[in-house]
Amino acid sequence: MGGLEKKKYERGSATNYITRNRARKKLQLSLPDFRRLCILKGIYPHEPKHKKKVNKGSTAARTFYLLKDIKFLLHEPIVNKFREYKVFVRKLRKAYGKSEWSTVDRLKDNKPSYKLDHIVKERYPTFVDALRDLDDALSMCFLFSTFPRTGKCHVQTIQLCRRLAVEFLNYVIASRSLRKVFLSIKGIYYQAEVLGQPVTWITPYTFAHDHPTDVDYRVMATFTEFYTTLLGFVNFRLYHSLNLLYPPKIDGQADVELKPAEGKEYAMDSESYLEKLSALSASLARVVAPTHEDEVEMDEFPVEGETAEQMDARKKEQEALEKHKKLFEGLRFFLNREVPREPLAFIIRYVVGRLSLGRPATPCLPPPVTLRVPPPQWVFDSVNAKLCLPVADYFPGVLLPPHLSPFVTEQEGDYVPPEKLKLLAMQRGENPGDSEEEEEEEEEEEDENDKEEEEEEDESEKEEEMKLKKMEEQKTQSNKVTAGKLRLEDKQRLEQEQQSEEKRLAIMMMKKREKYLYKKIMFGKKRKVREANKLAAKRKAHDTAVKEEKKKSKKARRA
Amino acid sequence: MLPASIIGDRRRRARRHFRNVPAVPAGPFHQRTVMPGAAPAPEPWDLWPHADPGGRGTKGRDEATGALGAAACSRYGQPKKAAAGRAHARPCHPGVHLLEMVSPALTPLPSAPLQDIRNTVGNIPMEWYQDFPHIGYNLEGKKIYKPIRNKDELDMFLEKMENPDYWRTVQDKMTGADIKLTDEQVDLVHRLQKGQFGDVHFNPYEPAVDFFTHEVMIHPVTNRPADKRSFIPSLIEKEKVSKLVHAIKMGWIKPRKPKDDTPTYYDLWAHEDPNSILGRHKMHVPAPKMKLPGHEESYNPPPEYLLSEEEKLAWEQQEPAERKLNFVPQQYRCLRAVPAYSRFIHERFERCLDLYLCPRQRKMRVNVDPEDLIPKLPKPRDLQPFPTTQALVYRGHTSLVRCLSISPSGQWLVSGSDDCTVRFWEVCTARCMKTLPVGGVVKSVAWNPNPTICLVAICVEQSVLLVNPCLGDKLLYGATDQLLESYVAPEEERVQPVQWVTATMEEHSKGVRLVVQHSKAVKQVTWHGKGDYFASVVSDNSNMQVLIHQTSKRWSQNPFRKSKGLVQCVLFHPIRPYFFVATQRYVRVYNLLKQELTKKLMTNCKWVSSMAIHPGGDNIICGSYDSKLAWFDLDLSTRPYQLLRHHKKALRSVAFHKHYPLFASGSDDGTVIVCHGMVYNDLLQNPLLVPVKVLKGHAMTLDLGVLDVLFHPTQPWVFSSGADSTVRLYT
């Protein structure tokens, strides 16, 4: 006996969490302000392990925040700014009400603003952390940069987003770090490898947005507020890692032209600058003018414990990457009016193609390669495949080959579309063209066979009758005792059967929990196989249908 | 003296006015102060002649007219408010007007043309002077005496009757005199009573002239010339402006800088300090990245990824949250034909919501190779011998075969069936040696385990038949018959729970030797290892469920005084004097010598169906109807050492092999599972249980599969009887 009475929910996990409303009261913030703060500071609810314990015995649905997170918010200087802003809005409203326009102007001039620099640093203590979390930031900036300059959100935000997005694209071009592109029905996915971190983002197709009514733009704007700050700092750092000026300046002639007479430092203020930058066609100015394109030969340091094979693999990968970077070297592209300009310019510039719009800018150097008229998909597919694909498949009038997602890496047992198989073979250096021809030949042969079969049909019927007769004879014979046949046992099959039986018996001996887990895993696997089979069957059906169609058309032509 | 008194009176009045306390009437004090003075106080009635009997002092008049004026004012109150604009236009106050109008009529009174008998007491309640002869003081400070009122009621009446002006006579409270109202005054009173304006000439319905309209008039309302200051520049302002100009010239005041909204960026991570990572980052759960798109999201996907019509329909009917894909794969001829994705902003927004509203939790993803989960067991091949294939099928029964038993030599097999027969088979040839019709459903058969006795106990309805099958060695079964016949009935009849009846001749010829008749249906019979005792289980709810019989002495006993539940089956320990009784959920172990309960095993099953004991005697298996098999190690615990869930349906019977480390279980799912159950002599090593074979052979009939399993006493063979009216042998 003795000691204090232990009360329930006063220690342990119950004290680690705090409900949203309590947190809000503790911070003395309104719900919208609290949400804004959470968005900016990256605070999110946590799902406790034992919800009932945390919820003091109740099972009501509540969102819980970590108490530590909320305490950490208490010292946030932005909270004060929020309050100031609230006061500002109140004053402004009053001034409007009284029609004191000079007060309104004065208040507007002194509108309280805050900076998010320290929050960026806090949320991403290292630069790599920031890069890892860049996906959403980029996607959001690219989306906002396509918004019209009216309504929905502040024009400055949209302009800033546009500027940051273009700057990032320029960085990707300068650093040659684009890896994958994918034309989806939602938009265009890009994946770049920035300092070893894969960064994926999606841009919408350039159409006017049909702004939905059930979307809260204030939430998106708050996210964008943070993302623009983050992206600005990331861009700065990235540009400096490449020895480029930030804010970027266009190299060479363009720079001279751009230099404004008024002596302004940046061309940033002028719209034309951004336009030129977003043309993505000029290279950027460097901090230190490069004497020559001196690529430093990388020394190789064998990592300990790495086998020679791994080394080779790495080397190969490196080489492939180099090759990838020089994919369109020496090619000159003329973009038609109808193709989406920006993504193509971005990609072609990235892979060292040279870009002209409509007409060649410099007159009449004979193009080094014969003129090609492939549709844009060829460019995307080639970049993904890391080789110049045969143009023949892409000529106008030809049904385009399917555009495959470069983000899918098929594991064993997954369904691999035949196009992908072909592509893989191509990458390995085999020539898939032959097999295709063979296929066609086969098809022709088959056609011939069909004819023969038609002729043979009568004969075959006769044969079948004969067979039936024979069968009947055999049946009558079966009543008699016949010499037994030695049944050959398939040893391999037996072995397999035995093994599977052993496995079945062992499964019987599993513990209940493990058995449950095992069954779950196996169920998942089976489902995967089922799906793969379904896709394969669908493909087969489609192929046969196409073949039939072809045959019919051929016959029609012959007739 | 007098002025002082007046002053005092006034002061008191003022005080009272302020304090609002009832004041003492001035009279007595006044009188007292006056009394010691020169003049003796005159009698009030002496002084009356001084006062005008009409009592019309200016003061009094003022009072009266004031009162009237006030009344008029209150009358006027309403219309004045209603027509405020008009009121402005009026030259003077109606009250004042009234006074002017009334006073000339009152002043020229004949009785006191020169005397001003105004009462100076002021506006006080006149009751204060009730008890005094005077009623106040005139301007000179002389007392005003009340008029002598000696009129009695009669006088009053006469006055009323005779005086034609009586109706217009009012008493002036201030002077106490009667005043006769003039015609004008009477008119005024009448008008006021009717609610009309006091002034006869006042027209309340004059047309309004709006002087101060909202419209700008060409002429000023007033003719006042403008001030000079209104057209001379202000000097103060001039001074202020010049100061500002000076400050600007001197550079003290600078124009406000335009605000620069463009954010400035710098190298934020110039000094990366990994130690600055906050403590809360330990609990940080980074948001999972968005799923990368697959082939189906392509604008031109391979044809197999497009949805067929049915799939599309199914997709539409699914809840949006349940859909595997949140879009329908589409194929477009070329990039130019691809439209905008209508849900792009939605998806971004949902991602935002996920990022800041969705509770996050670290989930341990199981990344196990399923093969690792499978326990490593010795291979069945190494655990041979065990029955692997079906060797023989014993056909002959026409209904389900409920029970099996085998002779200790292993040569003969007996089976009891629902077709009311018991059949004896030769094991090696599957030949039915004998068929014994018993006239009832056979619930259980048990071959005497003593090799020197050839006797089979058979449960048929309410009796247990002891049958000599007359198979095998003639000497042996002859000896059994002799043994049974050698019984000598005891001298005194003992009370027994059952009746031992010797078989009739007819029955004897069939092989039945003895019939033990129970009071209720018998479920199970089992022999003790030595072959003399056997136990039977009666389906009953009382303590008479279990009976132990002795064949040689032909007497039975009921070992239990109390029922402990529905007994499912009983067993004798093969070596020691233990007796196992399985109720629905527990197995009780009784010591027969000490006659006490030694152990109670918890089976963890819902309903025990059968039980078998390891020949070593230390391990028990229990099969249950909830498809579990519990292995008990009696030395280890009273709880199962292992609970095997191998069967999919209810277990009907379990069996141990006499010599080999094998046990088998038969179940309603039609399979017999043979397991290797090795028990080690070393007490520290736990038994090893490995399933080695699943034997399938019986066809499912009536939802029943295998009803009984039995091991051959010497060979690693297992028999099973099934609902498909066959008995099968697996070797």
Side-chain angles (χ1 to χ4, degrees):
Chain A
M1 293 293 116
L4 285 172
E5 186 193 355
K6 273 187 192 172
K7 279 183 186 165
K8 249 181 165 183
Y9 312 123
E10 284 193 353
R11 62 183 72 201
S13 57
T15 53
N16 288 342
Y17 292 93
I18 186 168
T19 61
R20 192 194 60 188
N21 259 350
R22 275 177 56 210
R24 211 174 52 69
K25 272 182 192 150
K26 189 164 192 156
L27 293 170
Q28 301 185 6
L29 285 174
S30 66
L31 189 59
D33 271 354
F34 176 70
R35 288 195 162 155
R36 235 148 51 107
L37 190 64
C38 284
I39 291 169
L40 294 176
K41 293 282 280 183
I43 306 283
Y44 44 84
H46 280 253
E47 184 79 6
K49 221 172 196 179
H50 303 288
K51 204 157 184 189
K52 208 173 160 188
K53 271 185 199 170
V54 173
N55 214 350
K56 314 220 160 140
S58 145
T59 47
R62 285 212 180 91
T63 44
F64 291 99
Y65 288 84
L66 273 184
L67 187 66
K68 263 191 186 172
D69 283 355
I70 300 301
K71 279 188 177 164
F72 160 80
L73 287 184
L74 275 176
H75 307 290
E76 181 53 49
I78 280 192
V79 176
N80 281 334
K81 291 282 179 188
F82 282 168
R83 292 189 188 124
E84 271 174 37
Y85 194 81
K86 205 168 69 181
V87 173
F88 160 74
V89 168
R90 202 167 54 210
K91 282 181 182 167
L92 199 67
R93 204 187 304 129
K94 204 172 180 181
Y96 264 116
K98 290 182 173 180
S99 315
E100 292 170 350
W101 306 121
S102 62
T103 319
V104 168
D105 285 344
R106 183 175 48 79
L107 283 173
K108 272 186 178 170
D109 275 346
N110 295 324
K111 184 180 171 182
S113 63
Y114 50 85
K115 284 196 163 182
L116 299 174
D117 306 7
H118 65 285
I119 293 183
V120 173
K121 185 73 196 282
E122 205 173 74
R123 280 178 69 172
Y124 308 108
T126 59
F127 184 54
V128 178
D129 290 339
L131 285 181
R132 270 184 209 138
D133 219 5
L134 210 58
D135 292 12
D136 291 314
L138 278 171
S139 300
M140 193 64 117
C141 277
F142 273 98
L143 171 64
F144 263 65
S145 62
T146 59
F147 277 176
R149 303 253 191 293
T150 51
K152 297 303 167 198
C153 52
H154 295 296
V155 179
Q156 289 92 336
T157 316
I158 293 167
Q159 276 170 341
L160 184 63
C161 281
R162 174 78 187 142
R163 182 191 130 194
L164 291 171
V166 167
E167 280 170 8
F168 187 78
L169 289 186
N170 271 310
Y171 165 77
V172 171
I173 290 172
S175 66
R176 301 276 175 80
S177 51
L178 186 73
R179 292 291 171 270
K180 286 164 183 175
V181 209
F182 178 48
L183 297 169
S184 100
I185 53 172
K186 294 182 181 175
I188 305 178
Y189 286 89
Y190 300 92
Q191 191 174 49
E193 202 174 293
V194 182
L195 304 184
Q197 300 292 330
V199 177
T200 319
W201 71 95
I202 179 173
T203 61
Y205 288 116
T206 46
F207 289 105
H209 290 286
D210 182 14
H211 281 290
T213 50
D214 51 344
V215 163
D216 188 356
Y217 278 89
R218 281 173 306 175
V219 171
M220 300 242 283
T222 315
F223 267 100
T224 313
E225 200 181 343
F226 176 75
Y227 285 151
T228 47
T229 319
L230 168 68
L231 199 57
F233 284 115
V234 168
N235 276 350
F236 186 93
R237 173 92 176 202
L238 287 176
Y239 270 70
H240 277 256
S241 70
L242 279 191
N243 215 2
L244 292 171
L245 279 176
Y246 188 89
K249 274 191 198 169
I250 288 159
D251 205 7
Q253 255 189 332
D255 193 24
V256 178
E257 281 171 29
L258 265 176
K259 212 147 228 179
E262 295 96 309
K264 277 189 185 167
E265 296 245 333
Y266 292 149
M268 187 82 16
D269 308 332
S270 64
E271 283 272 321
S272 69
Y273 164 76
L274 194 60
E275 291 290 311
K276 277 196 176 125
L277 196 65
S278 56
L280 302 171
S281 48
S283 55
L284 303 175
R286 289 174 185 270
V287 176
V288 184
T291 49
H292 192 68
E293 202 66 42
D294 45 357
E295 293 273 314
V296 182
E297 195 71 27
M298 290 295 245
D299 285 341
E300 278 178 14
F301 298 102
V303 182
E304 228 173 287
E306 201 175 42
T307 59
E309 278 177 31
Q310 278 173 328
M311 282 257 284
D312 276 355
R314 214 164 54 140
K315 221 189 227 172
K316 243 182 205 171
E317 212 169 86
Q318 205 76 29
E319 277 171 16
L321 204 63
E322 287 302 311
K323 221 171 136 190
H324 187 210
K325 282 179 182 173
K326 290 171 183 166
L327 186 61
F328 294 151
E329 194 140 46
L331 297 189
R332 176 175 283 258
F333 290 84
F334 298 94
L335 295 189
N336 199 342
R337 288 180 305 184
E338 289 169 359
V339 299
R341 210 195 135 274
E342 189 174 290
L344 273 173
F346 174 49
I347 290 161
I348 293 165
R349 274 273 293 143
Y350 149 70
V351 267
V352 218
R354 287 176 69 192
L355 184 69
S356 295
L357 291 172
R359 262 177 278 155
T362 50
C364 295
L365 281 169
V369 185
T370 47
L371 201 66
R372 291 169 164 182
V373 204
Q377 196 193 322
W378 178 80
V379 178
F380 291 95
D381 280 350
S382 298
V383 168
N384 286 337
K386 297 175 186 171
L387 46 88
C388 274
L389 292 173
V391 196
D393 299 342
Y394 294 88
F395 276 139
V398 180
L399 194 68
L400 285 174
H403 180 61
L404 296 174
S405 166
F407 300 110
V408 182
T409 44
E410 279 91 355
Q411 255 95 38
E412 209 176 304
D414 287 353
Y415 171 72
V416 189
E419 287 84 8
K420 179 101 179 185
L421 287 175
K422 221 193 273 175
L423 193 75
L424 288 174
M426 248 153 106
Q427 278 171 342
R428 265 179 268 125
E430 295 160 19
N431 195 359
D434 300 342
S435 62
E436 253 179 53
E437 280 168 26
E438 276 169 25
E439 269 176 32
E440 278 172 24
E441 276 171 27
E442 271 172 28
E443 273 174 32
E444 280 171 22
E445 274 173 27
E446 269 176 28
D447 289 353
E448 284 164 23
N449 285 346
D450 284 351
K451 279 179 210 163
E452 281 167 23
E453 272 170 24
E454 279 164 26
E455 288 162 16
E456 280 169 11
E457 260 177 23
D458 302 334
E459 286 172 29
S460 62
E461 275 174 23
K462 280 173 196 171
E463 269 177 27
E464 266 176 33
E465 277 173 24
M466 291 288 283
K467 269 183 193 170
L468 279 175
K469 272 181 191 173
K470 269 184 192 172
M471 291 270 278
E472 276 168 24
E473 276 171 26
Q474 274 175 356
K475 269 184 192 169
T476 48
Q477 279 173 358
S478 65
N479 287 348
K480 295 167 196 171
V481 178
T482 49
K485 270 185 189 171
L486 190 67
R487 209 183 286 165
L488 280 172
E489 284 190 343
D490 192 348
K491 273 193 178 172
Q492 234 178 0
R493 225 187 104 202
L494 267 180
E495 187 101 335
Q496 248 178 14
E497 269 176 18
Q498 203 165 16
Q499 267 179 5
S500 67
E501 196 183 344
E502 271 170 28
K503 200 170 152 188
R504 239 180 298 141
L505 291 171
I507 288 168
M508 287 198 325
M509 279 307 282
M510 273 160 97
K511 279 176 200 160
K512 201 175 172 186
R513 183 183 291 178
E514 285 180 351
K515 202 190 248 175
Y516 172 73
L517 182 63
Y518 179 81
K519 275 186 181 163
K520 225 166 122 179
I521 295 172
M522 292 321 270
F523 177 78
K525 277 191 171 176
K526 267 181 198 162
R527 190 177 50 194
K528 224 177 212 176
V529 169
R530 214 167 44 227
E531 271 163 20
N533 287 344
K534 197 177 161 193
L535 284 175
K538 252 171 136 182
R539 176 66 180 217
K540 205 175 169 189
H542 177 263
D543 282 354
T544 48
V546 167
K547 228 177 230 176
E548 295 262 309
E549 194 90 336
K550 250 189 200 171
K551 249 184 220 171
K552 264 185 196 169
S553 62
K554 237 182 213 178
K555 268 184 191 170
R557 247 182 288 153
R558 272 183 204 169
Chain B
M1 292 291 289
L2 269 175
S5 81
I6 286 166
I7 289 165
D9 201 358
R10 273 191 183 152
R11 268 185 198 154
R12 195 169 298 113
R13 247 189 304 154
R15 210 181 301 137
R16 208 202 74 238
H17 185 73
F18 284 127
R19 293 215 197 130
N20 202 14
V21 287
V24 185
F29 169 69
H30 174 71
Q31 232 168 4
R32 264 198 307 271
T33 46
V34 170
M35 286 295 230
E43 283 303 319
W45 49 88
D46 293 337
L47 283 177
W48 180 242
H50 287 288
D52 185 353
R56 289 183 180 117
T58 355
K59 174 73 185 171
R61 255 184 286 142
D62 270 357
E63 289 285 320
T65 48
L68 285 173
C73 263
S74 69
R75 274 272 158 234
Y76 286 137
Q78 286 314 87
K80 197 178 107 190
K81 249 183 217 169
R86 246 173 286 144
H88 270 284
R90 299 180 71 80
C92 52
H93 198 269
V96 180
H97 188 79
L98 192 68
L99 190 70
E100 280 171 1
M101 184 191 73
V102 174
S103 46
L106 291 179
T107 33
L109 280 174
S111 55
L114 295 173
Q115 264 186 328
D116 189 8
I117 45 157
R118 251 181 292 182
N119 198 345
T120 54
V121 291
N123 188 19
I124 56 157
M126 296 311 291
E127 298 93 68
W128 291 353
Y129 287 91
Q130 251 175 11
D131 303 335
F132 298 98
H134 65 284
I135 203 166
Y137 305 89
N138 62 12
L139 283 175
E140 287 147 18
K142 297 263 175 60
K143 281 179 182 170
I144 303 170
Y145 289 93
K146 286 177 185 169
I148 300 153
R149 295 247 171 199
N150 47 4
K151 285 179 187 167
D152 55 0
E153 288 291 315
L154 192 61
D155 288 334
M156 291 276 277
F157 177 70
L158 289 176
E159 172 95 27
K160 194 177 176 182
M161 288 293 111
E162 286 165 6
N163 191 359
D165 292 331
Y166 178 80
W167 60 273
R168 58 162 73 175
T169 317
V170 292
Q171 194 192 5
D172 186 359
K173 270 186 185 168
M174 292 302 280
T175 55
D178 286 340
I179 304 167
K180 196 175 136 198
L181 297 180
T182 58
D183 284 346
E184 286 92 357
Q185 281 172 331
V186 169
D187 265 0
L188 178 66
V189 170
H190 278 308
R191 276 204 302 280
L192 291 181
Q193 273 177 341
K194 279 181 196 163
Q196 290 169 344
F197 286 96
D199 187 3
V200 191
H201 308 291
F202 174 65
N203 179 12
Y205 304 109
E206 266 174 10
V209 180
D210 204 358
F211 287 101
F212 303 97
T213 62
H214 63 282
E215 288 162 20
V216 181
M217 315 295 273
I218 52 166
H219 298 295
V221 178
T222 63
N223 207 11
R224 192 164 171 271
D227 288 323
K228 190 183 176 186
R229 64 169 180 268
S230 66
F231 51 84
I232 289 180
S234 159
L235 283 176
I236 303 169
E237 276 179 15
K238 189 182 166 192
E239 197 180 0
K240 273 185 184 168
V241 168
S242 69
K243 266 185 187 169
L244 285 175
V245 169
H246 180 63
I248 290 170
K249 271 184 187 168
M250 297 301 286
W252 298 334
I253 297 177
K254 276 176 191 161
R256 188 180 286 134
K257 269 185 199 165
K259 245 189 184 174
D260 190 15
D261 273 343
T262 50
T264 50
Y265 299 116
Y266 50 92
D267 195 356
L268 192 67
W269 292 279
H271 308 287
E272 270 182 14
D273 182 13
N275 296 330
S276 71
I277 297 167
L278 294 166
R280 73 183 194 93
H281 278 263
K282 272 181 214 158
M283 294 293 283
H284 179 56
V285 185
K289 293 200 169 188
M290 293 273 276
K291 209 179 144 240
L292 289 171
H295 297 313
E296 62 276 356
E297 211 182 304
S298 165
Y299 87 98
N300 182 17
E304 61 268 33
Y305 287 98
L306 295 172
L307 297 186
S308 63
E309 286 302 317
E310 303 96 65
E311 283 169 329
K312 221 177 259 179
L313 207 68
W315 185 89
E316 274 161 14
Q317 279 166 357
Q318 260 177 335
E319 285 288 314
E322 281 174 2
R323 286 171 189 163
K324 216 169 174 197
L325 294 176
N326 55 3
F327 57 93
V328 180
Q330 300 277 346
Q331 192 171 30
Y332 295 102
R333 202 169 29 80
C334 54
L335 188 57
R336 208 171 32 181
V338 183
Y341 182 59
S342 60
R343 289 193 56 83
F344 194 93
I345 296 179
H346 272 117
E347 280 183 10
R348 271 294 109 205
F349 179 61
E350 273 158 23
R351 171 70 177 170
C352 287
L353 291 187
D354 281 353
L355 282 177
Y356 88 99
L357 284 182
C358 185
R360 296 186 202 168
Q361 187 181 33
R362 247 175 228 287
K363 281 248 162 124
M364 298 306 283
R365 166 134 319 164
V366 187
N367 194 12
V368 213
D369 184 12
E371 299 303 316
D372 292 347
L373 291 172
I374 299 172
K376 297 281 164 286
L377 294 173
K379 283 194 174 166
R381 226 177 307 162
D382 308 335
L383 303 174
Q384 275 168 344
F386 53 82
T388 51
T389 49
Q390 180 180 304
L392 289 173
V393 182
Y394 303 78
R395 292 181 201 278
H397 282 294
T398 53
S399 183
L400 27 128
V401 187
R402 276 201 191 273
C403 44
L404 288 174
S405 189
I406 192 159
S407 70
S409 60
Q411 195 179 357
W412 314 106
L413 181 75
V414 61
S415 63
S417 159
D418 271 13
D419 59 1
C420 307
T421 57
V422 173
R423 280 173 187 260
F424 295 89
W425 315 83
E426 194 177 17
V427 168
C428 301
T429 56
R431 184 173 160 214
C432 180
M433 303 300 292
K434 217 172 172 184
T435 309
L436 180 67
V438 289
V441 172
V442 183
K443 288 277 177 66
S444 168
V445 291
W447 203 296
N448 195 320
N450 191 340
T452 59
I453 299 171
C454 184
L455 203 61
V456 179
I458 300 166
C459 290
V460 182
E461 292 176 346
Q462 295 196 354
S463 51
V464 175
L465 309 179
L466 294 178
V467 176
N468 188 347
C470 303
L471 291 171
D473 195 349
K474 195 164 185 184
L475 279 176
L476 209 64
Y477 64 77
T480 309
D481 276 349
Q482 278 177 4
L483 191 74
L484 289 176
E485 280 158 14
S486 67
Y487 167 73
V488 184
E491 282 134 28
E492 48 185 275
E493 195 75 9
R494 279 189 291 184
V495 183
Q496 291 197 28
V498 295
Q499 267 191 315
W500 289 77
V501 181
T502 321
T504 56
M505 282 306 289
E506 197 186 334
E507 284 173 338
H508 195 277
S509 64
K510 281 188 204 162
V512 181
R513 297 293 181 261
L514 284 169
V515 180
V516 186
Q517 285 177 340
H518 291 65
S519 52
K520 286 190 176 158
V522 187
K523 276 202 288 200
Q524 192 220 349
V525 62
T526 179
W527 285 97
H528 184 256
K530 292 219 173 103
D532 193 16
Y533 288 93
F534 68 91
S536 63
V537 180
V538 177
S539 44
D540 188 8
N541 230 347
S542 67
N543 61 336
M544 299 276 282
Q545 287 183 83
V546 183
L547 297 170
I548 295 179
H549 315 275
Q550 190 176 13
T551 324
S552 56
K553 292 186 179 167
R554 297 195 188 176
W555 82 281
S556 313
Q557 53 179 336
N558 171 20
F560 300 117
R561 219 170 294 135
K562 232 169 147 185
S563 156
K564 288 279 175 72
L566 210 60
V567 176
Q568 299 300 310
C569 55
V570 293
L571 255 184
F572 285 101
H573 193 281
I575 308 155
R576 273 170 282 174
Y578 286 132
F579 188 57
F580 300 89
V581 179
T583 55
Q584 275 184 23
R585 311 197 54 171
Y586 306 104
V587 177
R588 291 187 171 78
V589 187
Y590 294 95
N591 190 330
L592 290 174
L593 279 184
K594 291 183 186 168
Q595 304 206 337
E596 63 181 14
L597 178 73
T598 41
K599 240 172 219 176
K600 185 177 161 193
L601 309 176
M602 325 282 177
T603 57
N604 286 5
C605 305
K606 290 275 156 55
W607 198 309
V608 172
S609 64
S610 54
M611 181 170 55
I613 186 158
H614 190 263
D618 280 345
N619 294 280
I620 286 185
I621 50 174
C622 279
S624 78
Y625 288 116
D626 50 349
S627 60
K628 287 181 206 161
L629 190 147
W631 174 290
F632 290 96
D633 193 333
L634 292 181
D635 296 335
L636 205 67
S637 158
T638 57
R639 295 195 173 271
Y641 158 64
Q642 220 162 12
L643 206 61
L644 309 174
R645 294 180 188 81
H646 295 171
H647 285 286
K648 290 192 179 62
K649 285 188 179 170
L651 266 78
R652 289 276 164 182
S653 69
V654 289
F656 262 115
H657 198 280
K658 279 247 167 61
H659 304 294
Y660 291 104
L662 290 175
F663 65 91
S665 55
S667 154
D668 278 352
D669 58 5
T671 58
V672 175
I673 294 181
V674 182
C675 299
H676 178 86
M678 188 66 180
V679 176
Y680 300 96
N681 289 331
D682 181 7
L683 284 176
L684 289 176
Q685 204 166 2
N686 286 329
L688 170 75
L689 310 182
V690 183
V692 286
K693 190 72 193 172
V694 180
L695 298 169
K696 287 174 191 166
H698 286 286
M700 298 286 290
T701 353
L702 301 166
D703 263 354
L704 294 173
V706 180
L707 295 175
D708 200 4
V709 289
L710 181 72
F711 273 106
H712 192 273
T714 51
Q715 299 294 325
W717 298 346
V718 68
F719 300 91
S720 69
S721 69
D724 57 348
S725 62
T726 57
V727 178
R728 285 159 201 262
L729 168 67
Y730 303 93
T731 56

